[in-house]
């Protein structure tokens, strides 16, 4: 009994139609081999050649990116080194006369250590007060944008072009080093010049921030003319060993205008092509139009795959170029060999295959056509397609029959896989949601555990330190009273010194008290009651009066809160006084201190907000992130770093929150939120 289905019925077009069909199939089969294949081969070779050229351009573009990044890094490092030297305590001590080195010796030593060519100190009147090398004349040009920027308080680093007289004013050796005889170069723009005497200088200027250096600018510079270490480093970074095929070589060059002032391109074996010039086409595109050149170019005496980009000075002008590239000849030679080999191989294989193909094509084309047509339909998404061949007269026909059976199985497996895929996607989505929620919970728990462990460890250490300090303080206080008693009226001779000891002992006692209050806040918790925030602020003013008298601070009040808060009055005053003291310290030159109270709900709970805002110097994002950390302070020797940490604990103990918003030069606003009294 036959199990054939309608889908496998032999279609009328599947019947063999005699010799005409075979001849047409032979023609269709031979046409690609004899006509289409050569055309495709030519197209493929052209495409391959274009792709290879594009890859070479992409590589040289990547090489230029590396060179540009290295130059940018040099600029950045130079600026960092000048700023670090200008901010150094050694320079400050030297300028104060508190160091063994003289200012001249220090600049010479720093110039040598930092590999600079010169260091200058320029005062606010544009006068050079010190220089290394020694001997910079009054004619030295100091009206550079980088120096003007430094006078305005900003570090700036740039590449600038020094005229020969500017170089000579710094040092005659610089002018001599920058001098280059121009070498006649093929394809370059015609010029009447015979030499290059200008200097390309990488210079950075930074203001001195300490009092003795007010208005003074530190300038450091590197002369790039003939700086072979700089250009060889770029070449070594870009073209490492084995990065190019054998016979090729990588090159890098620094141009002043269109003249090579530092290069590893060779005129011949050991002579560098210093003084040669770039081709007219490159000069027009890069220097005149400001474009980046990525193409083959004639470099001195050969063709290179090249990349050029313009260099901009501090005035915004295009003054030179940065170049990297590699020799084109080895790539062209290898490309020719490969193309010749591919063409020869294709034609040899075609000549061998065609006769054999003609002998066997008659017996295999017919069933193969059915198989090919069926596979194409299946690839197009029609899983019901079948060859329709019933009789298995030869191997190809049997393959077609087996293919139909396999397609039946494939159709069933496809249905099962689609069902499994839907179920799997559903389960993956479900597990992903669960994992995401679990990760959020784990992260929050981990942060809380780390914070708790840090605070517990700090609390234990600070409590021990505070108790250990209190014992010798008590002994010192007692012995001081005994000394006063023994000395009697003679103690008046040292009254000022004894009073100073008393004050310092009292200060140590207050610090240890803050440490204990931070370590064990529960032991210092006071009695809580209802308070009106505005009145607590008013009562805190007498505690601050001595600081207001010493500073030009304008106090602005805005008491809009109608609710009361429940907290220990002394603790709230301690928080407010600490915030106001910090605000006054942030405004040493005067400013406005704004105190605001207003009703505010948070997370559905009624509360009151107390804001303490100043117009001081403000804080960076890094400082704001650490401002409530124990022992973190921005007051150097004046603070303990516990005030804000203790304030945060006091507010948090009553269910409140304290936060800060600040930015450099925009002041700071501390916000205290407390739940309203019932």
């Amino acid at each position: 009994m036959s199990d054939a289905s309608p889908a496998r019925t032999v279609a009328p077009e599947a019947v063999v139609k005699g010799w005409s069909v075979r001849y047409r199939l032979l023609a269709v089969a031979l046409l690609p081999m004899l006509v289409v294949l050569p055309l495709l081969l030519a197209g493929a070779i052209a495409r391959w050649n274009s792709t290879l050229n594009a890859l070479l351009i992409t590589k040289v573009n990547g090489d230029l990116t590396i060179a540009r990044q290295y130059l940018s890094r040099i600029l950045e490092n130079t600026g960092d080194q000048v700023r670090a030297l200008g901010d150094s305590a050694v320079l400050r001590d030297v300028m104060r006369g508190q160091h063994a080195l003289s200012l001249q010796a220090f600049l010479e030593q720093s110039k040598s250590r930092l590999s600079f060519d010169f260091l200058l100190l320029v005062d606010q009147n544009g006068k050079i007060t010190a220089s290394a090398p020694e001997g910079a004349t009054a004619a030295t040009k100091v009206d550079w944008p980088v120096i003007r920027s430094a006078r305005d308080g900003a570090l700036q680093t740039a590449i600038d072009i020094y005229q020969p007289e500017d170089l000579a004013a710094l040092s005659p050796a610089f002018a001599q080093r920058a001098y280059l005889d121009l070498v006649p170069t093929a394809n370059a723009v015609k010029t009447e010049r015979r030499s290059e005497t200008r200097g390309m200088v990488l210079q950075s200027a930074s203001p001195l921030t300490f009092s003795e250096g007010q208005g003074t600018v530190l300038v450091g510079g590197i002369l790039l003319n003939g700086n072979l270490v700089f250009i060889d480093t770029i070449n070594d970074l870009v073209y490492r060993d084995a990065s190019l095929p054998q016979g090729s070589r990588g090159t890098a060059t620094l141009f002043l205008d269109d003249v090579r002032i530092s290069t590893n391109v060779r005129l011949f074996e050991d002579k560098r092509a210093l003084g040669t010039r770039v081709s007219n086409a490159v000069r027009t595109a890069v220097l005149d139009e400001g474009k980046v050149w990525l193409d083959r170019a004639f470099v001195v005496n050969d063709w290179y795959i090249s990349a050029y980009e313009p260099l901009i000075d501090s005035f915004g002008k295009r003054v030179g170029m940065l170049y990297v590239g590699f020799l084109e000849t080895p790539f062209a030679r290898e490309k020719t060999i490969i193309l010749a080999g591919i063409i020869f191989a294709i034609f040899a294989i075609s000549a061998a295959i065609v006769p054999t193909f003609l002998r066997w094509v008659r017996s295999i084309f017919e069933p193969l056509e059915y198989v090919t047509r069926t596979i194409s339909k299946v690839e197009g998404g029609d899983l019901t397609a079948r060859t329709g061949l019933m009789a298995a007269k030869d191997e190809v026909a049997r393959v077609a029959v087996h293919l139909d059976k396999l397609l039946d199985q494939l159709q069933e497996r496809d249905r099962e896989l689609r069902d499994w895929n839907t179920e799997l996607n559903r389960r993956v989505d479900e597990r992903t949601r669960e994992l995401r929620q679990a990760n959020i919970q784990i992260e929050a728990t981990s942060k809380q555990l780390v914070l708790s462990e840090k605070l517990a460890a700090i609390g234990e250490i600070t409590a021990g330190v505070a108790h250990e300090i209190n014992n010798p303080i008590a002994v010192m206080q007692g012995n001081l009273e005994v000394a006063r008693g023994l000395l009697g009226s003679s103690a008046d001779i040292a009254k000022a010194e004894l009073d100073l000891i008393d004050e310092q002992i009292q200060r140590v006692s207050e610090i240890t008290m803050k440490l204990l209050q931070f370590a064990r806040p529960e032991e210092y918790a006071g009695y809580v009651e209802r308070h009106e925030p505005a009145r607590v602020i008013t009562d805190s003013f007498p505690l601050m009066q001595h600081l207001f008298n010493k500073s030009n601070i304008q106090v602005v009040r805005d008491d809009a809160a109608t609710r009361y808060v429940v907290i220990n009055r002394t603790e709230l005053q301690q928080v407010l006084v600490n915030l106001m003291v910090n605000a006054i310290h942030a405004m040493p030159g005067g400013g406005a201190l704004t105190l605001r109270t207003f009703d505010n709900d948070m997370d559905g709970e009624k509360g009151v907000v107390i804001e303490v805002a100043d117009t001081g110097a403000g804080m960076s994002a890094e400082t704001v992130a650490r401002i409530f950390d124990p022992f973190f302070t921005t007051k150097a020797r004046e603070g303990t770093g516990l005030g804000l940490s203790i304030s945060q604990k006091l507010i948090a103990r009553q269910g409140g929150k304290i936060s800060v918003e600040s930015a450099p030069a925009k002041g700071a606003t501390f916000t205290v939120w407390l739940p309203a009294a019932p």
Side-chain angles (χ1 to χ4, degrees):
M1 183 175 179
S2 174
D3 59 351
S5 63
R8 299 175 64 181
T9 302
V10 179
E13 61 269 18
V15 179
V16 177
K17 294 183 179 180
W19 292 102
S20 61
V21 174
R22 292 182 178 179
Y23 286 140
R24 287 198 296 269
L25 289 175
L26 283 173
V28 170
L30 292 176
L31 185 64
M33 181 69 69
L34 301 179
V35 179
V36 177
L37 183 60
L39 294 177
L40 289 177
L41 180 60
I45 291 174
R47 176 69 175 173
W48 176 81
N49 184 60
S50 175
T51 302
L52 179 59
N53 291 337
L55 288 175
L56 293 178
I57 296 302
T58 301
K59 172 176 171 49
V60 80
N61 188 29
D63 298 340
L64 180 61
T65 300
I66 296 173
R68 182 191 312 119
Q69 290 174 346
Y70 175 75
L71 180 58
S72 299
R73 184 61 177 165
I74 290 295
L75 288 168
E76 182 181 350
N77 283 345
T78 301
D80 292 342
Q81 289 170 341
V82 170
R83 176 164 48 194
L85 183 61
D87 293 342
S88 67
V90 178
L91 177 57
R92 181 191 60 199
D93 292 342
V94 169
M95 294 188 70
R96 288 177 177 176
Q98 299 175 353
H99 197 278
L101 288 175
S102 66
L103 181 58
Q104 178 63 38
F106 174 78
L107 291 179
E108 290 286 355
Q109 184 185 84
S110 300
K111 176 179 76 69
S112 178
R113 174 173 56 85
L114 298 176
S115 298
F116 284 178
D117 286 314
F118 64 87
L119 283 171
L120 306 176
L121 283 176
V122 182
D123 65 16
Q124 57 189 356
N125 298 319
K127 180 181 178 182
I128 298 176
T129 57
S131 67
E134 187 176 8
T137 68
T140 301
K141 182 177 179 180
V142 294
D143 187 26
W144 297 104
V146 294
I147 297 180
R148 293 198 296 269
S149 177
R151 287 202 183 102
D152 294 335
L155 169 73
Q156 185 175 352
T157 305
I159 290 176
D160 282 307
I161 305 304
Y162 275 55
Q163 296 301 322
E165 57 270 23
D166 298 331
L167 293 172
L170 276 175
S171 172
F174 291 166
Q176 183 178 3
R177 175 174 156 189
Y179 181 87
L180 273 178
D181 288 323
L182 295 186
V183 178
T185 310
N187 298 330
V189 178
K190 293 182 179 180
T191 181
E192 298 297 328
R193 292 194 306 153
R194 293 293 177 264
S195 62
E196 178 59 69
T197 58
R198 296 171 297 170
M200 179 177 284
V201 176
L202 188 157
Q203 61 180 355
S204 178
S206 175
L208 302 187
T209 57
F210 48 87
S211 58
E212 290 78 8
Q214 289 298 322
T216 300
V217 173
L218 176 64
V219 185
I222 300 173
L223 180 61
L224 299 179
N225 294 55
N227 194 327
L228 301 182
V229 173
F230 168 81
I231 207 67
D232 287 344
T233 301
I234 290 181
N235 191 72
D236 292 340
L237 285 173
V238 175
Y239 300 110
R240 298 184 176 181
D241 293 339
S243 65
L244 293 172
Q246 187 175 6
S248 184
R249 63 177 180 271
T251 55
T253 299
L254 188 67
F255 289 85
L256 194 166
D257 196 15
D258 64 347
V259 179
R260 291 178 176 85
I261 60 171
S262 183
T263 184
N264 63 352
V265 177
R266 263 59 175 186
L267 281 173
F268 39 86
E269 187 64 23
D270 294 321
K271 182 172 177 60
R272 299 185 185 236
L274 297 174
T276 58
R277 300 167 58 224
V278 78
S279 65
N280 183 27
V282 174
R283 176 193 170 89
T284 301
V286 180
L287 288 179
D288 296 342
E289 301 175 5
K291 298 178 181 178
V292 175
W293 177 280
L294 296 172
D295 204 346
R296 62 197 299 265
F298 191 78
V299 178
V300 182
N301 51 21
D302 209 337
W303 287 94
Y304 284 72
I305 305 298
S306 306
Y308 296 80
E309 74 170 9
L311 296 178
I312 311 298
D313 68 0
S314 59
F315 295 95
K317 297 180 180 178
R318 293 186 287 272
V319 296
M321 296 178 288
L322 179 64
Y323 153 85
V324 292
F326 46 87
L327 196 61
E328 181 190 42
T329 303
F331 292 95
R333 182 174 58 252
E334 291 297 325
K335 184 164 57 176
T336 301
I337 294 173
I338 292 172
L339 289 176
I342 292 174
I343 294 172
F344 175 80
I346 292 296
F347 279 103
I349 292 172
S350 299
I353 287 178
V354 168
T356 304
F357 180 78
L358 290 174
R359 286 196 300 269
W360 295 98
V361 70
R362 295 182 180 88
S363 62
I364 62 177
F365 262 16
E366 294 171 349
L368 277 180
E369 281 294 324
Y370 306 145
V371 172
T372 301
R373 186 164 52 248
T374 302
I375 292 176
S376 297
K377 291 180 180 179
V378 172
E379 288 178 345
D382 183 10
L383 296 182
T384 63
R386 301 294 184 268
T387 64
L389 293 176
M390 302 299 300
K393 298 180 179 179
D394 54 29
E395 293 83 359
V396 177
R398 285 197 293 271
V399 168
V401 173
H402 286 301
L403 177 63
D404 286 346
K405 294 180 181 179
L406 289 175
L407 290 175
D408 291 337
Q409 297 176 7
L410 177 62
Q411 187 174 6
E412 178 63 22
R413 296 293 187 273
D414 180 77
R415 185 189 63 77
E416 295 176 357
L417 285 174
R418 291 178 184 274
D419 293 340
W420 275 106
N421 182 63
T422 302
E423 177 65 17
L424 181 60
N425 287 336
R426 186 188 66 79
R427 294 186 181 182
V428 168
D429 290 340
E430 182 179 347
R431 295 297 184 271
T432 301
R433 287 193 298 271
E434 294 174 358
L435 286 174
R436 188 180 295 114
Q437 186 63 30
N439 285 335
I440 293 173
Q441 295 175 355
I442 290 172
E443 183 177 358
T445 304
S446 299
K447 288 182 178 179
Q448 187 62 34
L449 285 174
V450 170
L451 179 60
S452 298
E453 290 177 359
K454 286 183 177 179
L455 291 177
I458 292 174
E460 183 176 347
I461 293 171
T462 54
V465 171
H467 283 298
E468 289 297 327
I469 292 174
N470 276 336
N471 291 332
I473 286 175
V475 174
M476 292 166 63
Q477 185 70 49
N479 285 337
L480 186 60
E481 293 301 326
V482 171
R484 280 181 172 147
L486 292 176
L487 292 173
S489 59
S490 301
D492 292 339
I493 299 174
K495 184 177 184 305
E497 287 75 10
L498 295 175
D499 289 345
L500 181 59
I501 294 174
D502 263 337
E503 290 176 4
Q504 297 306 314
I505 290 175
Q506 182 63 27
R507 183 182 178 190
V508 174
S509 297
E510 290 176 357
I511 292 173
T512 55
M513 182 61 67
K514 287 184 179 179
L515 288 171
L516 288 173
Q517 189 173 4
F518 167 75
R520 299 174 181 173
E522 66 280 353
E523 296 180 8
Y524 294 86
Y527 175 72
V528 297
E529 55 186 350
R530 290 162 48 95
H531 294 290
E532 182 182 359
R535 179 163 296 182
V536 177
I537 294 175
T538 301
D539 293 343
S540 300
F541 274 17
L543 304 176
M544 301 293 301
Q545 196 59 47
H546 67 290
L547 291 178
F548 289 139
N549 294 337
K550 296 178 182 180
S551 57
N552 185 22
I553 301 295
Q554 178 187 1
V555 179
V556 180
R557 294 282 301 273
D558 181 10
D559 300 320
T562 61
R563 300 170 180 168
Y564 284 69
V565 295
V566 176
I567 191 172
N568 180 268
R569 184 184 189 85
T570 302
E571 291 180 352
L572 181 54
Q573 279 189 335
Q574 178 182 349
V575 172
L576 294 175
V577 168
N578 183 60
L579 295 179
M580 286 190 284
V581 169
N582 288 344
I584 292 172
H585 288 169
M587 299 182 290
L593 173 62
T594 303
L595 301 169
R596 298 180 61 229
T597 64
F598 55 90
D599 299 335
N600 184 64
D601 297 345
M602 182 179 291
D603 298 332
E605 183 179 1
K606 294 182 177 180
V608 177
V609 168
I610 304 173
E611 281 189 357
V612 179
D614 64 70
T615 58
M619 298 176 285
S620 65
E622 294 78 7
T623 302
V624 170
R626 300 186 57 197
I627 197 69
F628 293 106
D629 290 351
F631 305 108
F632 175 77
T633 179
T634 60
K635 300 179 184 178
R637 302 175 182 175
E638 297 180 9
T640 62
L642 290 174
L644 288 176
S645 179
I646 293 173
S647 297
Q648 187 182 48
K649 283 199 170 187
L650 295 177
I651 297 301
R653 191 165 61 201
Q654 302 303 326
K657 296 180 180 178
I658 182 170
S659 60
V660 61
E661 292 183 1
S662 181
K666 294 186 179 180
T669 300
F670 284 83
T671 303
V672 177
W673 182 88
L674 287 167

